[in-house]
PDB file of all heavy atoms in Angstrom:
ATOM      1  N   ILE A  27     173.785  -4.592 -31.815  1.00 86.00           N
ATOM      2  CA  ILE A  27     172.703  -3.816 -32.431  1.00 86.00           C
ATOM      3  C   ILE A  27     171.472  -4.699 -32.651  1.00 86.00           C
ATOM      4  O   ILE A  27     170.333  -4.292 -32.396  1.00 86.00           O
ATOM      5  CB  ILE A  27     173.177  -3.196 -33.755  1.00 86.00           C
ATOM      6  CG1 ILE A  27     174.252  -2.148 -33.490  1.00 86.00           C
ATOM      7  CG2 ILE A  27     172.009  -2.563 -34.505  1.00 86.00           C
ATOM      8  CD1 ILE A  27     174.889  -1.581 -34.740  1.00 86.00           C
ATOM      9  N   VAL A  31     167.730  -4.164 -31.078  1.00 92.00           N
ATOM     10  CA  VAL A  31     166.532  -4.084 -31.921  1.00 92.00           C
ATOM     11  C   VAL A  31     165.484  -5.086 -31.455  1.00 92.00           C
ATOM     12  O   VAL A  31     164.285  -4.774 -31.355  1.00 92.00           O
ATOM     13  CB  VAL A  31     166.903  -4.317 -33.398  1.00 92.00           C
ATOM     14  CG1 VAL A  31     165.647  -4.470 -34.249  1.00 92.00           C
ATOM     15  CG2 VAL A  31     167.749  -3.165 -33.920  1.00 92.00           C
ATOM     16  N   ALA A  44     150.514  -5.901 -31.386  1.00 89.00           N
ATOM     17  CA  ALA A  44     149.853  -7.204 -31.295  1.00 89.00           C
ATOM     18  C   ALA A  44     148.511  -7.099 -30.585  1.00 89.00           C
ATOM     19  O   ALA A  44     148.314  -6.270 -29.685  1.00 89.00           O
ATOM     20  CB  ALA A  44     150.756  -8.202 -30.571  1.00 89.00           C
ATOM     21  N   VAL A  98     150.998 -15.246   2.877  1.00 86.00           N
ATOM     22  CA  VAL A  98     151.594 -13.946   3.230  1.00 86.00           C
ATOM     23  C   VAL A  98     151.100 -12.936   2.192  1.00 86.00           C
ATOM     24  O   VAL A  98     151.810 -12.622   1.229  1.00 86.00           O
ATOM     25  CB  VAL A  98     153.134 -14.013   3.256  1.00 86.00           C
ATOM     26  CG1 VAL A  98     153.714 -12.733   3.842  1.00 86.00           C
ATOM     27  CG2 VAL A  98     153.613 -15.225   4.023  1.00 86.00           C
ATOM     28  N   MET A 109     160.460 -16.803  -4.618  1.00 94.00           N
ATOM     29  CA  MET A 109     160.362 -17.818  -3.571  1.00 94.00           C
ATOM     30  C   MET A 109     159.864 -19.140  -4.137  1.00 94.00           C
ATOM     31  O   MET A 109     160.306 -20.217  -3.707  1.00 94.00           O
ATOM     32  CB  MET A 109     159.432 -17.325  -2.458  1.00 94.00           C
ATOM     33  CG  MET A 109     160.005 -16.206  -1.615  1.00 94.00           C
ATOM     34  SD  MET A 109     161.554 -16.652  -0.795  1.00 94.00           S
ATOM     35  CE  MET A 109     160.997 -17.969   0.279  1.00 94.00           C
ATOM     36  N   ALA A 114     161.453 -24.660  -5.600  1.00 94.00           N
ATOM     37  CA  ALA A 114     161.725 -25.642  -6.660  1.00 94.00           C
ATOM     38  C   ALA A 114     163.201 -26.015  -6.685  1.00 94.00           C
ATOM     39  O   ALA A 114     163.556 -27.172  -6.938  1.00 94.00           O
ATOM     40  CB  ALA A 114     161.294 -25.086  -8.016  1.00 94.00           C
ATOM     41  N   THR A 155     146.664 -26.905  -1.970  1.00 87.00           N
ATOM     42  CA  THR A 155     145.623 -26.160  -2.681  1.00 87.00           C
ATOM     43  C   THR A 155     144.685 -25.433  -1.728  1.00 87.00           C
ATOM     44  O   THR A 155     143.601 -25.012  -2.135  1.00 87.00           O
ATOM     45  CB  THR A 155     144.805 -27.107  -3.573  1.00 87.00           C
ATOM     46  OG1 THR A 155     144.171 -28.108  -2.753  1.00 87.00           O
ATOM     47  CG2 THR A 155     145.693 -27.792  -4.605  1.00 87.00           C
ATOM     48  N   GLY A 171     152.996  -3.136  -5.246  1.00 75.00           N
ATOM     49  CA  GLY A 171     152.814  -1.925  -4.455  1.00 75.00           C
ATOM     50  C   GLY A 171     153.786  -0.832  -4.867  1.00 75.00           C
ATOM     51  O   GLY A 171     154.985  -1.086  -5.021  1.00 75.00           O
ATOM     52  N   ASP A 182     146.467  -5.928 -15.146  1.00 84.00           N
ATOM     53  CA  ASP A 182     145.139  -6.431 -15.459  1.00 84.00           C
ATOM     54  C   ASP A 182     144.865  -6.562 -16.955  1.00 84.00           C
ATOM     55  O   ASP A 182     143.758  -6.929 -17.351  1.00 84.00           O
ATOM     56  CB  ASP A 182     144.075  -5.529 -14.827  1.00 84.00           C
ATOM     57  CG  ASP A 182     144.274  -4.063 -15.208  1.00 84.00           C
ATOM     58  OD1 ASP A 182     145.272  -3.745 -15.876  1.00 84.00           O
ATOM     59  OD2 ASP A 182     143.422  -3.246 -14.821  1.00 84.00           O
ATOM     60  N   LEU A 205     176.203 -16.821 -16.075  1.00 93.00           N
ATOM     61  CA  LEU A 205     176.542 -17.935 -15.190  1.00 93.00           C
ATOM     62  C   LEU A 205     177.261 -19.049 -15.943  1.00 93.00           C
ATOM     63  O   LEU A 205     178.240 -19.614 -15.444  1.00 93.00           O
ATOM     64  CB  LEU A 205     175.271 -18.474 -14.523  1.00 93.00           C
ATOM     65  CG  LEU A 205     175.462 -19.429 -13.338  1.00 93.00           C
ATOM     66  CD1 LEU A 205     176.215 -18.733 -12.215  1.00 93.00           C
ATOM     67  CD2 LEU A 205     174.109 -19.918 -12.849  1.00 93.00           C
ATOM     68  N   PHE A 272     157.985 -33.648 -21.468  1.00 90.00           N
ATOM     69  CA  PHE A 272     158.454 -34.096 -22.775  1.00 90.00           C
ATOM     70  C   PHE A 272     158.483 -32.944 -23.783  1.00 90.00           C
ATOM     71  O   PHE A 272     159.405 -32.846 -24.592  1.00 90.00           O
ATOM     72  CB  PHE A 272     157.579 -35.231 -23.300  1.00 90.00           C
ATOM     73  CG  PHE A 272     157.951 -36.573 -22.740  1.00 90.00           C
ATOM     74  CD1 PHE A 272     157.056 -37.299 -21.970  1.00 90.00           C
ATOM     75  CD2 PHE A 272     159.198 -37.128 -22.991  1.00 90.00           C
ATOM     76  CE1 PHE A 272     157.403 -38.533 -21.453  1.00 90.00           C
ATOM     77  CE2 PHE A 272     159.549 -38.357 -22.473  1.00 90.00           C
ATOM     78  CZ  PHE A 272     158.652 -39.070 -21.706  1.00 90.00           C
ATOM     79  N   MET A 277     161.849 -29.120 -26.967  1.00 90.00           N
ATOM     80  CA  MET A 277     162.287 -27.755 -27.280  1.00 90.00           C
ATOM     81  C   MET A 277     163.797 -27.647 -27.316  1.00 90.00           C
ATOM     82  O   MET A 277     164.371 -27.063 -28.252  1.00 90.00           O
ATOM     83  CB  MET A 277     161.728 -26.771 -26.242  1.00 90.00           C
ATOM     84  CG  MET A 277     160.233 -26.560 -26.309  1.00 90.00           C
ATOM     85  SD  MET A 277     159.682 -25.469 -24.991  1.00 90.00           S
ATOM     86  CE  MET A 277     157.913 -25.737 -25.082  1.00 90.00           C
ATOM     87  N   ILE A 278     164.474 -28.210 -26.314  1.00 91.00           N
ATOM     88  CA  ILE A 278     165.925 -28.042 -26.276  1.00 91.00           C
ATOM     89  C   ILE A 278     166.614 -28.952 -27.283  1.00 91.00           C
ATOM     90  O   ILE A 278     167.715 -28.629 -27.757  1.00 91.00           O
ATOM     91  CB  ILE A 278     166.476 -28.268 -24.856  1.00 91.00           C
ATOM     92  CG1 ILE A 278     166.278 -29.709 -24.403  1.00 91.00           C
ATOM     93  CG2 ILE A 278     165.831 -27.308 -23.883  1.00 91.00           C
ATOM     94  CD1 ILE A 278     167.003 -30.027 -23.108  1.00 91.00           C
ATOM     95  N   GLY A 284     172.760 -27.003 -24.960  1.00 87.00           N
ATOM     96  CA  GLY A 284     173.895 -26.181 -24.584  1.00 87.00           C
ATOM     97  C   GLY A 284     173.902 -24.829 -25.251  1.00 87.00           C
ATOM     98  O   GLY A 284     174.962 -24.317 -25.609  1.00 87.00           O
ATOM     99  N   GLY A 311     142.723 -25.142 -48.592  1.00 73.00           N
ATOM    100  CA  GLY A 311     141.588 -25.955 -49.015  1.00 73.00           C
ATOM    101  C   GLY A 311     141.546 -27.366 -48.472  1.00 73.00           C
ATOM    102  O   GLY A 311     140.757 -28.184 -48.952  1.00 73.00           O
ATOM    103  N   ILE A 319     145.262 -33.663 -36.923  1.00 75.00           N
ATOM    104  CA  ILE A 319     146.254 -32.596 -36.775  1.00 75.00           C
ATOM    105  C   ILE A 319     147.147 -32.853 -35.566  1.00 75.00           C
ATOM    106  O   ILE A 319     148.371 -32.654 -35.612  1.00 75.00           O
ATOM    107  CB  ILE A 319     145.553 -31.232 -36.655  1.00 75.00           C
ATOM    108  CG1 ILE A 319     144.932 -30.841 -38.003  1.00 75.00           C
ATOM    109  CG2 ILE A 319     146.519 -30.163 -36.182  1.00 75.00           C
ATOM    110  CD1 ILE A 319     144.176 -29.542 -37.972  1.00 75.00           C
ATOM    111  N   VAL A 337     171.693 -35.537 -37.765  1.00 79.00           N
ATOM    112  CA  VAL A 337     172.356 -34.590 -38.661  1.00 79.00           C
ATOM    113  C   VAL A 337     173.029 -33.459 -37.886  1.00 79.00           C
ATOM    114  O   VAL A 337     174.197 -33.133 -38.131  1.00 79.00           O
ATOM    115  CB  VAL A 337     171.339 -34.030 -39.677  1.00 79.00           C
ATOM    116  CG1 VAL A 337     171.995 -32.995 -40.580  1.00 79.00           C
ATOM    117  CG2 VAL A 337     170.743 -35.169 -40.494  1.00 79.00           C
ATOM    118  N   HIS A 340     173.241 -30.246 -32.248  1.00 82.00           N
ATOM    119  CA  HIS A 340     173.130 -28.967 -31.550  1.00 82.00           C
ATOM    120  C   HIS A 340     171.946 -28.128 -32.024  1.00 82.00           C
ATOM    121  O   HIS A 340     171.817 -26.968 -31.620  1.00 82.00           O
ATOM    122  CB  HIS A 340     174.424 -28.185 -31.699  1.00 82.00           C
ATOM    123  CG  HIS A 340     175.594 -28.841 -31.027  1.00 82.00           C
ATOM    124  ND1 HIS A 340     175.754 -28.884 -29.663  1.00 82.00           N
ATOM    125  CD2 HIS A 340     176.657 -29.520 -31.537  1.00 82.00           C
ATOM    126  CE1 HIS A 340     176.862 -29.527 -29.354  1.00 82.00           C
ATOM    127  NE2 HIS A 340     177.430 -29.933 -30.472  1.00 82.00           N
TER     128      HIS A 340
END
Side-chain angles (χ1 to χ4, degrees):
I27 293 174
V31 170
V98 189
M109 289 301 296
T155 61
D182 53 355
L205 193 61
F272 278 118
M277 291 177 193
I278 65 171
I319 290 178
V337 177
H340 295 288

